[in-house]
Amino acid sequence: MHDDRTLVEARLKRVLEERIRPAVYPESVPLQVAVWHAPGEPVPVAEGLAAAPEPIEVGARWGAPWGTSWFRVTGTVPEKWAGRTVEALLDLGFDENMPGFQCEGLVYRPDGTPVKGLNPRNQWVRIGAPVAGGEEVRLHIEAASNPVILDYHPFLPTQLGDKETAGSEPQYTLTRMDLAVFDETVWQLVLDLEVLGELMAELPVDSARRWDILRAVDRALDAVDLQDVNGTADRARQQLTGVLSAPAVPSAHRISAVGHAHIDSAWLWPLRETVRKVARTTSNMTALIEDEPEFVFAMSQAQQWAWVKEHRPEVWARVKKAVAEGRFVPAGGMWVESDTNMPGSEAMARQFVHGKRFFLDEFGVENEEAWLPDTFGFAAGLPQIIKAAGSKWLLTQKISWSQTNKFPHHTFQWEGIDGTRIFTHFPPVDTYNCSMKGSEIAHAARNFKDKGRARHSLAPTGWGDGGGGTTREMVAKAARLRDLEGSATVEWETPRAFFEKAEAEYPEPPVWVGELYLELHRATLTSQAKTKQGNRRSEHLLREAELWAATAAVRTGFPYPYEELDRIWKTVLLHQFHDILPGSSIAWVHREARATYDRIAGELTAIIEGAQRALAGEGGTELVFNAAPHPRHGVPAGGAAVPAVTGGTTLTAREDGGFTLDNGLLRIEVDARGLVVSAYDIAAGRETVAPGRAANLLQLHPDFPNMWDAWDVDEFYRNTVTDLTDAESVLPGDDGASVRVVRAFGGSRVTQVLSLGADERRLVIDTEVDWHETEKFLKLAFPLDLHAERYASETQFGHFHRPTHTNTSWEAAKFEACNHRFVHLEEPGWGVAVVNDSTYGHDVTRTVRSDGDLGTTTTVRVSLLRAPRFPDPETDQGVHRFRHALVPGAGIGDAVREGWRVNLPERRLTGAHEVAPLVTMDDDAVVVTAVKLADDGSGDVVVRFHEAHGGRARATLTAGFEVAEATVTDLLERPLATAAAPERDGDRIAVRLRPFELVTLRLRRA
């Protein structure tokens, strides 16, 4: 037989696009259109419906950036269309390639009832099926003219990312506003041909199945009269019945399709626009659920559900009905799909507490899966947190974006720092916006790495990022792929149903130990420094507010601010979303975030001060309140006392310039350049700084990644570096125990204060940068005279070790990594910590010296600032303040303690008496991360703690009040059935912990 394959395939492409697809809507009439442009921010629905619109014609420009326009469309269904299906086609000026990234709309009836959302892949509204003819049509569209930020030439700097700079130029052209006849037979033929054509392209050219499909398609195209597609579509479909009904082979890969609309809670749009994106998407999905009996939709992020409830009660009613039917599924059990690298221990726990509690309270649904398809890597402490929240599964897709190494599994057990394992799945479809294309389905089957042991995978199906969700075309394709020869099988299922099947068929999957590091988007650990500082500060202020309010409530009857703390926690958790905290959102988002963090700081400070005043009473004794989990200067952890008297620090001038700081524990040499050339541990007789090197060295790199400017730093940035060694001045500080250094470079200026406190084994470095660079990366370097093959970075409820070498591509790829409050390096018996109050990104490298001293130099560099121009062209311009400390002679316990200390400064207050801690722990290895009152308002005291050094611990927790009962609970403060009752002797409770084990203890007061 002659090979005519390419001829038939080309025929299919042209006939489908130019003849069959246009025939889906064979007849149309224009609608009359009028518009009212809201003058500012979005208005309530009633106001938009009541506004007086002006006529507008198709072809007219509309929509200033971030504006809202209310369109009114009216018309009459022609009498001759009686008995036919009619839809309104409402094209606001869409580019079909940009669902979620363009203008969008929500359609209402005149009474304010929402109908469905409009987006580039969903432009229709059903009028009737069938119509009687003569019906009057009147619809209103709340249209958002969101500008395109990420265009076909991506990553170009734009001022469109903030309403304050975006201007008023109309963004869109009104393209089509018609009533049209919908020919479902032709539409079904389009889907038949799409599915078969896409499947055919994925099959081997020499396979019989491919040729069977080719011949059937050829016959179907012969059956179509190109001058009467509508009259011959059914005849064409009949030619395809045989190839569409051939069942899949028994060994076919099995895909659980989950309706999905990944909606970034803020990214290239502000938070307020996400509220409306969620309303549009949920309107569409509830409508699709009503139309498609097998379709199941899952939505994560309790915050987004709460927005629907608060802002769109009429949509909320439809959502609740669909949830009750089991078709609209709460997923993930988190407040938002947060970043997981940077949130602190308690914040990561509260993501699950608030997310799961919302779904339990509203629907009685207990989430057992964590759903994080788009998060930029996963911290090694996360498995324990997931389990402690009562969940047991994790789904993500993002690791498939890694640039260097291919992850070896799709289904596996992920083991965290404490040994907890979580059953984890990476969808091999490699997208969280699956559209049921044949290429996607075939890729999932080919790509699945656990073939031969498992055969199930999951496909999150629907347009996402900016929302939109699943379309009726995707559902129709899935129906054809349910059991089709040559393809993986597809079935709509809930996340729970998928995980239960996957776990049952794969009882002993492989294990991955440690962090799930994304080899991409590393710069999100540094971009938008003030957003990161606001998060860190808020986390620690919340700790203080809960601690002192709980202590005051128990001791004095102080009214515990349940509602305020709940609201503030949810606000902080929202801003940990994986584009806000990572710094990859538009300028508008980060401008609002800075203002929000300032407001939160004021509210929490007021709670703290009120509680402390209630505790201290009125008096003239100067007290120090210590919110850190370790005592300092004689003040107990979680208490207030008169601090112990400490020694002093001497400051002397060096002969060759600079100064020496000495407090009897450390001797710090600062040279004439303002660099630390020696940090000598007097007791150990040990130098910290590598020979011939200098610490406190600011280094500047060019920073222009190949793409994803705010997200990425590419390894070649290291090829060029400028050491900032010139100083304008190096002078004594005002307190006589510090050195003040001023430098200028480019358009920027740096002021540093290096201080050595009395009786302290740490050199504190306060850095103020007035930053006016573009596409530059600023680092702070500490070259250490220390040989270490690995180092520790703090993560949630413990720390995680990374190698300092680059033996393999996996290690080399981690050239920028995350830490919380410290990094720590050590040789047996002696180590060094670098602690911080607000930075996360860092790198650690090692070299062997060749200048006669063959020792090893291990360099820790803290990432301070970047200056990418997309999506915020003014990223980080202005004044920033950082605090770091170099801690020579530090063991891991010292690193833990100093990390807390630098983030929780002492508070001073005059009062009548000292304040005893509400709870005390007698072992520094056991760190208390939260002391609070139970969320249920019972008055019970909740204490959360973990082993922080990486070893076994036996300790005693002593309550400063009479305890009636002690119960081990999960993160939601529910009794843990698997935990034995703790040993208790009155108010003393025995604590035994495995390395990094996390425990939540609920204490009922007598």
Side-chain angles (χ1 to χ4, degrees):
M1 180 182 290
H2 298 297
D3 186 351
D4 61 349
R5 177 180 57 82
T6 57
L7 190 69
V8 176
E9 290 172 354
R11 180 191 186 194
L12 170 63
K13 185 173 186 285
R14 185 176 186 191
V15 172
L16 182 59
E17 292 303 316
E18 295 185 22
R19 291 292 187 269
I20 301 177
R21 200 183 303 277
V24 171
Y25 293 103
E27 300 177 55
S28 64
V29 296
L31 289 159
Q32 290 75 52
V33 190
V35 66
W36 174 71
H37 303 292
E41 283 294 280
V43 300
V45 173
E47 184 177 342
L49 295 176
E54 299 290 332
I56 186 174
E57 298 294 327
V58 168
R61 300 283 290 169
W62 72 277
W66 306 113
T68 300
S69 299
W70 283 83
F71 290 94
R72 184 189 67 197
V73 295
T74 55
T76 304
V77 176
E79 298 283 354
K80 65 178 181 178
W81 290 357
R84 304 174 78 179
T85 298
V86 174
E87 295 180 345
L89 300 181
L90 308 173
D91 186 344
L92 300 172
F94 296 127
D95 180 340
E96 289 192 359
N97 295 315
M98 291 190 175
F101 295 91
Q102 278 215 325
C103 56
E104 299 173 30
L106 183 55
V107 180
Y108 296 89
R109 296 188 180 91
D111 64 359
T113 304
V115 181
K116 67 189 295 285
L118 298 176
N119 63 61
R121 294 297 183 107
N122 211 321
Q123 304 177 20
W124 58 274
V125 176
R126 180 64 57 88
I127 301 301
V131 295
E135 292 96 332
E136 294 297 320
V137 176
R138 183 185 181 99
L139 298 170
H140 298 263
I141 308 167
E142 180 190 14
S145 49
N146 302 332
V148 176
I149 306 294
L150 191 67
D151 215 332
Y152 286 100
H153 187 165
F155 318 122
L156 290 179
T158 174
Q159 295 294 331
L160 291 171
D162 195 330
K163 194 172 184 179
E164 294 184 352
T165 60
S168 58
E169 185 70 20
Q171 299 292 293
Y172 296 100
T173 300
L174 200 63
T175 301
R176 185 176 187 181
M177 294 276 151
D178 288 348
L179 285 179
V181 171
F182 174 72
D183 189 326
E184 184 171 355
T185 302
V186 176
W187 182 80
Q188 296 284 5
L189 177 60
V190 168
L191 273 300
D192 290 344
L193 291 171
E194 276 190 4
V195 167
L196 291 171
E198 290 167 1
L199 173 59
M200 187 166 53
E202 299 300 323
L203 294 171
V205 173
D206 58 358
S207 73
R209 174 63 169 162
R210 179 162 183 162
W211 288 89
D212 285 345
I213 295 172
L214 187 81
R215 292 296 160 228
V217 167
D218 204 21
R219 291 193 299 272
L221 296 177
D222 287 342
V224 175
D225 182 342
L226 298 185
Q227 277 66 54
D228 185 17
V229 173
N230 300 89
T232 56
D234 185 62
R235 186 172 68 195
R237 292 198 71 203
Q238 292 175 25
Q239 299 299 319
L240 302 173
T241 301
V243 288
L244 284 170
S245 60
V249 298
S251 61
H253 184 67
R254 298 173 184 176
I255 293 177
S256 296
V258 179
H260 187 236
H262 176 68
I263 304 178
D264 287 317
S265 289
W267 179 27
L268 304 180
W269 44 85
L271 286 167
R272 67 89 154 145
E273 192 55 35
T274 312
V275 175
R276 303 200 296 174
K277 283 178 174 286
V278 174
R280 297 173 198 129
T281 298
T282 51
S283 295
N284 270 353
M285 295 304 96
T286 52
L288 193 60
I289 283 170
E290 292 173 359
D291 293 341
E292 302 289 347
E294 294 187 352
F295 175 60
V296 176
F297 181 77
M299 190 168 89
S300 65
Q301 307 192 72
Q303 171 67 87
Q304 295 187 0
W305 292 70
W307 279 334
V308 178
K309 181 181 180 182
E310 178 183 356
H311 296 282
R312 290 291 192 272
E314 64 285 354
V315 179
W316 180 247
R318 289 162 55 177
V319 168
K320 288 186 70 174
K321 178 177 179 291
V323 172
E325 295 168 353
R327 308 275 305 287
F328 199 119
V329 181
M334 296 176 68
W335 190 248
V336 294
E337 289 182 16
S338 73
D339 179 81
T340 75
N341 285 313
M342 291 176 281
S345 303
E346 273 305 305
M348 200 74 254
R350 305 299 176 97
Q351 285 286 352
F352 288 91
V353 169
H354 286 283
K356 294 195 72 169
R357 187 170 287 144
F358 182 89
F359 293 140
L360 283 165
D361 290 348
E362 295 293 337
F363 308 112
V365 170
E366 173 87 31
N367 293 106
E368 292 191 292
E369 76 288 335
W371 183 275
L372 289 161
D374 190 29
T375 298
F376 309 152
F378 300 86
L382 189 58
Q384 179 175 208
I385 298 171
I386 294 172
K387 185 176 180 180
S391 297
K392 59 184 180 180
W393 302 311
L394 169 67
L395 178 135
T396 184
Q397 179 270 323
K398 199 67 172 188
I399 301 299
S400 69
W401 285 40
S402 284
Q403 289 179 315
T404 306
N405 297 286
K406 195 78 171 174
F407 197 81
H409 317 297
H410 280 109
T411 302
F412 60 99
Q413 291 277 8
W414 178 29
E415 182 178 316
I417 56 173
D418 72 312
T420 297
R421 292 181 177 181
I422 294 294
F423 188 84
T424 302
H425 180 67
F426 293 173
V429 71
D430 280 351
T431 177
Y432 46 81
N433 296 325
C434 176
S435 62
M436 284 291 136
K437 284 184 180 176
S439 56
E440 294 170 338
I441 302 305
H443 175 75
R446 283 195 299 264
N447 187 40
F448 187 56
K449 291 182 170 58
D450 302 282
K451 289 188 280 284
R453 297 182 181 273
R455 65 171 55 173
H456 280 84
S457 73
L458 185 145
T461 302
W463 300 117
D465 289 316
T470 318
T471 65
R472 62 183 178 183
E473 288 78 14
M474 296 175 195
V475 176
K477 283 189 168 187
R480 289 160 172 79
L481 297 169
R482 185 180 182 92
D483 188 15
L484 183 62
E485 184 186 352
S487 171
T489 66
V490 176
E491 182 178 5
W492 294 107
E493 292 191 297
T494 65
R496 175 186 292 274
F498 161 75
F499 273 111
E500 287 175 343
K501 287 181 179 179
E503 201 168 25
E505 77 170 1
Y506 207 5
E508 295 185 10
V511 177
W512 181 270
V513 178
E515 67 181 334
L516 294 171
Y517 179 92
L518 177 64
E519 296 169 356
L520 193 75
H521 293 358
R522 303 166 181 90
T524 57
L525 302 172
T526 305
S527 298
Q528 297 288 357
K530 287 186 178 177
T531 300
K532 291 170 171 57
Q533 289 178 324
N535 173 72
R536 180 76 71 84
R537 184 184 184 196
S538 298
E539 288 180 351
H540 288 85
L541 285 171
L542 276 161
R543 172 194 171 82
E544 288 193 81
E546 289 183 339
L547 169 65
W548 300 124
T551 305
V554 173
R555 296 276 166 72
T556 73
F558 179 81
Y560 191 80
Y562 291 101
E563 292 183 3
E564 287 179 83
L565 290 172
D566 180 77
R567 172 179 53 80
I568 294 171
W569 261 118
K570 288 173 179 174
T571 301
V572 172
L573 299 178
L574 166 60
H575 286 78
Q576 291 177 340
F577 177 75
H578 66 252
D579 280 303
I580 304 179
L581 180 54
S584 47
S585 291
I586 55 173
W588 188 347
V589 174
H590 292 289
R591 171 172 57 81
E592 288 190 333
R594 292 191 294 270
T596 298
Y597 285 130
D598 285 345
R599 186 187 73 248
I600 285 171
E603 292 176 332
L604 291 172
T605 300
I607 293 172
I608 292 164
E609 290 176 349
Q612 288 180 340
R613 173 53 58 202
L615 286 164
E618 297 296 334
T621 303
E622 183 171 297
L623 301 170
V624 167
F625 280 78
N626 175 21
H630 309 93
R632 56 188 179 192
H633 298 315
V635 181
V642 178
V645 177
T646 59
T649 299
T650 62
L651 174 69
T652 57
R654 300 171 78 239
E655 289 185 4
D656 55 353
F659 299 90
T660 300
L661 292 162
D662 192 325
N663 66 359
L665 300 173
L666 298 178
R667 185 168 60 247
I668 308 297
E669 303 279 350
V670 182
D671 72 3
R673 303 169 298 172
L675 302 178
V676 176
V677 292
S678 175
Y680 190 74
D681 181 345
I682 295 171
R686 176 75 184 256
E687 177 58 63
T688 306
V689 180
R693 302 290 298 277
N696 189 42
L697 174 65
L698 290 164
Q699 295 183 305
L700 192 66
H701 296 269
D703 185 18
F704 190 63
N706 289 342
M707 56 194 304
W708 297 109
D709 296 44
W711 295 256
D712 281 357
V713 56
D714 289 328
E715 191 173 13
F716 54 72
Y717 89 93
R718 289 178 168 179
N719 296 347
T720 307
V721 61
T722 301
D723 292 344
L724 303 177
T725 57
D726 293 338
E728 287 188 357
S729 62
V730 180
L731 298 170
D734 295 336
D735 59 359
S738 62
V739 179
R740 185 173 184 272
V741 182
V742 179
R743 307 183 194 280
F745 59 93
S748 304
R749 192 174 185 83
V750 177
T751 301
Q752 290 184 302
V753 176
L754 287 67
S755 56
L756 182 62
D759 294 338
E760 293 181 353
R761 300 179 56 87
R762 60 176 189 159
L763 172 67
V764 175
I765 302 169
D766 289 300
T767 304
E768 179 180 288
V769 187
D770 189 4
W771 180 246
H772 296 285
E773 305 307 301
T774 299
E775 294 166 352
K776 295 289 192 294
F777 196 3
L778 185 64
K779 292 257 187 178
L780 180 62
F782 299 89
L784 308 175
D785 186 11
L786 197 137
H787 178 84
E789 293 186 357
R790 66 176 192 169
Y791 73 97
S793 293
E794 188 185 31
T795 189
Q796 293 99 0
F797 299 111
H799 57 265
F800 172 65
H801 288 101
R802 297 187 184 94
T804 60
H805 58 76
T806 54
N807 280 358
T808 71
S809 59
W810 294 87
E811 290 140 3
K814 295 183 180 182
F815 59 82
E816 184 78 5
C818 182
N819 66 279
H820 286 186
R821 287 169 290 231
F822 70 80
V823 295
H824 177 256
L825 303 93
E826 67 178 343
E827 297 172 0
W830 194 86
V832 179
V834 177
V835 302
N836 72 83
D837 75 339
S838 58
T839 56
Y840 297 92
H842 71 278
D843 67 86
V844 177
T845 55
R846 65 198 297 266
T847 57
V848 175
R849 301 189 287 271
S850 58
D851 53 358
D853 177 357
L854 297 180
T856 301
T857 297
T858 306
T859 302
V860 177
R861 298 199 309 162
V862 176
S863 303
L864 296 182
L865 289 165
R866 300 182 68 239
R869 301 185 65 210
F870 181 87
D872 176 4
E874 303 298 323
T875 301
D876 280 335
Q877 301 299 297
V879 176
H880 303 269
R881 295 177 180 86
F882 307 96
R883 171 167 284 190
H884 294 84
L886 177 68
V887 190
I892 192 67
D894 301 303
V896 172
R897 183 180 61 253
E898 294 296 342
W900 278 100
R901 182 176 181 178
V902 80
N903 281 273
L904 284 167
E906 299 168 340
R907 292 182 183 270
R908 295 180 179 270
L909 185 72
T910 56
H913 48 77
E914 296 185 343
V915 178
L918 195 59
V919 295
T920 58
M921 193 72 72
D922 67 355
D923 184 346
D924 274 0
V926 182
V927 171
V928 175
T929 60
V931 177
K932 60 191 287 292
L933 294 193
D935 291 341
D936 61 7
S938 63
D940 293 354
V941 175
V942 172
V943 185
R944 188 148 34 246
F945 51 89
H946 71 286
E947 195 288 320
H949 294 182
R952 301 269 172 170
R954 298 182 67 177
T956 300
L957 182 150
T958 302
F961 54 91
E962 189 177 348
V963 176
E965 184 182 17
T967 307
V968 178
T969 72
D970 65 6
L971 293 179
L972 277 71
E973 301 167 8
R974 304 174 297 189
L976 205 56
T978 57
E983 297 177 21
R984 184 166 66 89
D985 180 9
D987 304 329
R988 294 163 55 84
I989 299 161
V991 173
R992 292 176 176 81
L993 297 176
R994 301 183 307 275
F996 301 128
E997 183 180 0
L998 161 66
V999 174
T1000 303
L1001 204 57
R1002 181 170 181 146
L1003 307 177
R1004 183 164 60 85
R1005 290 188 277 158

